[in-house]
Amino acid sequence: MGFLTVAIVIWLVAMAAWFVVSRYFKSSDADKIKQRLTGIGKARAKKIKETKNGEQSIIHTQQGGNKFAQLVVEKYQLGPRMQLLLEQAGLRWSPARLVHLSIMAFAAGFVFGWVVLPIPTALDLVVGLAIAPAPFVYVFYKRKSRLKNFEAIFPETLEFISRSMRAGHAFSVSLEMIYREFAEPVSGEFRRTFEEHNLGLPIEVALQGLAKRVPSLDVHFFVSAVLLQKRTGGNLAEILDKLAYVIRERFKLRGRIRAVSAHGRMTATSLSCIPIAVAVLMFYTNPDYVKFFFTDDIGNIMMGAGIFLQIVGYLVMKKIVNIEV
């Protein structure tokens, strides 16, 4: 009961702190919007433009609570790559917010290890470092899920473009019609491509931006086919129909492979979860036996080696059953 009570208290404190901080930043954003609408902030904006750092983006004015995270992003030049990753995940976050969440996760892990776990302070830092990548793991999960949903709808999208062009519509008009006929994430990406082209960006550059935001082999095939047809000519509608057929066949083959390798994936997951479950049970049933791995130097080495070998074994088994098509 003591462990559960402490865990619940820590969780409640963390939620309360997050609520207060979020309310503060929301009120700060509301004040900035009021200043812009009433014109109070014009003099301040003019003063900022006259400074030597006038090339700073508008992100700086909207991240009062993320100054340290923004400094880290600028120092190591992580902005473009992290922004591309967030766009691929479909999240309207800034790179500084992602770094800020990672720092908060590190602090939460350190406090959890310091208050709850009977381990030295040095290992508390290890716990914090282990939890710090949690926001990045979430972003990569959203990116993978979004890409999977995009690829599932993409063959129908290609057939829709082909039918629209056979009906007499231009290629750019077909891109606009996708927004009204399909769901996210296909509709949003093609709408952005159409708007970029409609505002003056060449269609080649707009399609290359689509291929960059959606890192899928199928999208690269589509962009290459359209660009090649614009340079050499040909029946684009027929090309898109054949490309849609190839993508569907790849999906069928991928489904067969996943069905065959399902047993191997379940085995890898089970073998990886068994040591964790045994460690948790031993922690509750015989804490003195488990404390050896946290308090003794040899126990620390044994625990580190065990975790390392467990991770290596899981990655090897996952590599064996992960067959790309």
Side-chain angles (χ1 to χ4, degrees), residues 67-83 95 99 103 136:
K67 291 182 179 180
F68 177 73
Q70 184 66 34
L71 184 63
V72 173
V73 171
E74 292 179 353
K75 182 177 180 180
Y76 296 100
Q77 299 179 355
L78 302 175
R81 288 177 293 178
M82 295 180 65
Q83 188 63 45
V99 174
I103 295 173
F136 289 90

Side-chain angles (χ1 to χ4, degrees), residues 52-264:
K52 296 182 180 179
N53 298 326
E55 297 179 355
Q56 291 180 348
S57 64
I58 195 173
I59 298 176
H60 290 274
T61 63
Q62 297 179 349
Q63 295 180 358
N66 296 341
K67 291 182 179 180
F68 177 73
Q70 184 66 34
L71 184 63
V72 173
V73 171
E74 292 179 353
K75 182 177 180 180
Y76 296 100
Q77 299 179 355
L78 302 175
R81 288 177 293 178
M82 295 180 65
Q83 188 63 45
L84 178 61
L85 178 63
L86 293 170
E87 289 182 356
Q88 292 174 352
L91 298 174
R92 296 182 179 180
W93 294 0
S94 63
R97 181 180 180 183
L98 182 59
V99 174
H100 185 66
L101 291 175
S102 182
I103 295 173
M104 292 180 62
F106 169 78
F110 177 79
V111 172
F112 177 79
W114 182 48
V115 175
V116 178
L117 300 178
I119 57 178
T121 306
L123 293 180
D124 293 336
L125 295 174
V126 175
V127 175
L129 292 175
I131 301 179
F136 289 90
V137 173
Y138 173 75
V139 171
F140 277 104
Y141 170 77
K142 293 288 291 184
R143 176 179 179 268
K144 184 179 179 181
S145 177
R146 188 171 184 267
L147 182 60
K148 184 178 180 180
N149 294 334
F150 188 97
E151 290 179 341
I153 313 175
F154 192 56
E156 299 178 5
T157 306
L158 297 180
E159 293 178 348
F160 178 82
I161 297 175
S162 175
R163 292 194 299 267
S164 300
M165 296 183 65
R166 285 195 175 97
H169 296 289
F171 177 73
S172 58
V173 177
S174 301
L175 298 181
E176 182 187 13
M177 295 170 63
I178 292 174
Y179 169 70
R180 298 191 296 267
E181 299 294 335
F182 290 89
E184 289 287 347
V186 171
S187 61
E189 290 295 341
F190 277 95
R191 183 188 183 186
R192 179 175 176 178
T193 303
F194 170 76
E195 290 179 349
E196 290 176 350
H197 174 60
N198 195 35
L199 292 174
L201 199 66
I203 188 64
E204 294 85 356
V205 180
L207 289 175
Q208 290 174 358
L210 171 65
K212 190 176 181 180
R213 294 191 304 271
V214 185
S216 172
L217 186 62
D218 301 332
V219 177
H220 284 280
F221 284 156
F222 165 70
V223 174
S224 300
V226 173
L227 297 183
L228 186 62
Q229 189 271 341
K230 289 184 66 66
R231 295 177 182 177
T232 61
N235 190 350
L236 182 58
E238 183 178 357
I239 294 174
L240 296 181
D241 284 336
K242 292 182 178 179
L243 181 58
Y245 172 77
V246 172
I247 295 174
R248 292 184 188 277
E249 292 299 319
R250 287 180 63 242
F251 273 133
K252 293 180 181 179
L253 181 59
R254 185 181 301 173
R256 295 193 191 99
I257 292 175
R258 285 185 61 85
V260 173
S261 61
H263 177 71

